[in-house]
């Protein structure tokens, strides 16, 4: 019963944080190259 | 669908939308063009520079082992230069590092890119596709001079 309750309330905080950091890193790289392209235009 | 999964999907869709909007901004508001492929014709095989109006030029570059022809091109500051590029032997690269120009010179094909040169200066062209023993010395220049001086 206790385990069922825990499973229902489980939120993968670590995985979410990792995914969000990955998105931020990806956006950072993408926009840094984008900025270089605009500067060279 | 799981609540967290849905949020992740919305987040990634939002991010892709931001990238797409940024590309549209670069394309339409900042006029960043993509290289184009042009049908091959004999005009391109003769390296030369020609002026087509007061501040627009056409430069026909031919890359070959291990130089560009013409190797030096002179245009005034504020010019738009349509670069047409081909190769007479193997695949070469055509990179102007100060500008967003990154083209391939392919035998039998023409690549075109329009570049605006606002500031006077010497813009080095380098081959950035390994093309043989003289690759490292394969370079050219676009010399942008100040009309007022």
């Amino acid at each position: 019963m206790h385990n069922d309750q825990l499973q229902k309330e489980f939120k993968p905080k670590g995985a979410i944080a990792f995914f969000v950091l990955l998105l931020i890193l990806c956006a950072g790289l993408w926009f840094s190259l984008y900025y270089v392209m605009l500067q060279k235009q | 669908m799981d609540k967290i999964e849905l949020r992740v999907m919305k987040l990634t869709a939002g991010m892709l939308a931001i990238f797409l909007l940024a590309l549209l901004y670069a394309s339409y508001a900042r006029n960043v063009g993509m290289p184009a492929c042009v049908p091959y014709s004999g005009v391109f095989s003769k390296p030369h520079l020609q002026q087509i109006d007061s501040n627009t030029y056409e430069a026909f570059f031919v890359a070959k082992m291990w130089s560009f022809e013409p190797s030096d091109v002179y245009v005034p500051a504020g010019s738009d230069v349509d670069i047409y590029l081909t190769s007479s032997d193997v695949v070469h690269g055509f990179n102007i590092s100060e500008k967003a120009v990154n083209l391939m010179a392919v035998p039998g094909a023409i690549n075109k890119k329009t570049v605006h040169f606002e500031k006077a200066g010497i813009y080095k062209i380098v081959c950035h596709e390994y093309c043989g023993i003289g690759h490292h010395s394969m370079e050219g220049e676009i010399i942008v001079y100040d009309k007022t001086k």
Side-chain angles (χ1 to χ4, degrees):
Chain A
M1 184 63 188
H2 182 64
N3 272 348
D4 286 349
Q5 191 67 25
L6 273 178
Q7 269 190 341
K8 272 184 187 170
E9 289 172 5
F10 176 72
K11 195 176 172 183
K13 287 178 190 162
I16 292 168
F18 176 74
F19 184 75
V20 169
L21 282 175
L22 213 61
L23 287 185
I24 291 168
L25 177 70
C26 179
L29 286 171
W30 196 91
F31 275 107
S32 60
L33 291 173
Y34 178 81
Y35 177 76
V36 169
M37 181 185 74
L38 287 187
Q39 287 302 302
K40 285 183 173 183
Q41 194 58 27
Chain B
M1 186 180 284
D2 183 68
K3 194 172 67 180
I4 295 170
E5 199 177 353
L6 194 64
R7 280 184 192 162
V8 164
M9 285 173 73
K10 283 180 182 171
L11 187 66
T12 47
M15 195 168 137
L16 288 175
I18 290 168
F19 287 168
L20 185 63
L21 288 173
L23 287 177
L24 290 174
Y25 167 77
S27 180
Y28 292 104
R30 300 291 295 267
N31 209 22
V32 176
M34 295 292 287
C37 291
V38 178
Y40 193 82
S41 99
V43 174
F44 303 109
S45 57
K46 189 182 170 202
H48 65 287
L49 175 77
Q50 67 183 39
Q51 185 171 8
I52 51 176
D53 72 26
S54 59
N55 62 347
T56 310
Y57 292 80
E58 284 182 332
F60 296 86
F61 283 100
V62 177
K64 60 179 188 178
M65 290 177 175
W66 290 280
S67 63
F68 293 102
E69 276 190 43
S71 59
D72 302 323
V73 165
Y74 290 81
V75 291
S79 300
D80 287 316
V81 181
D82 295 331
I83 294 171
Y84 294 88
L85 177 70
T86 191
S87 168
S88 61
D89 40 43
V90 298
V91 174
H92 297 278
F94 186 98
N95 179 241
I96 305 174
S97 60
E98 293 90 349
K99 289 281 172 189
V101 176
N102 182 351
L103 298 172
M104 301 298 290
V106 182
I110 307 294
N111 284 320
K112 182 197 174 197
K113 178 92 167 82
T114 301
V115 195
H116 180 73
F117 292 98
E118 189 60 45
K119 286 184 196 164
I122 297 171
Y123 295 81
K124 285 271 183 196
I125 304 164
V126 293
C127 174
H128 63 312
E129 178 72 35
Y130 183 71
C131 57
I133 199 158
H135 165 69
H136 62 282
S137 62
M138 185 170 169
E139 59 180 29
E141 285 177 349
I142 294 179
I143 296 123
V144 180
Y145 58 89
D146 194 342
K147 269 191 288 194
T148 57
K149 286 180 184 172

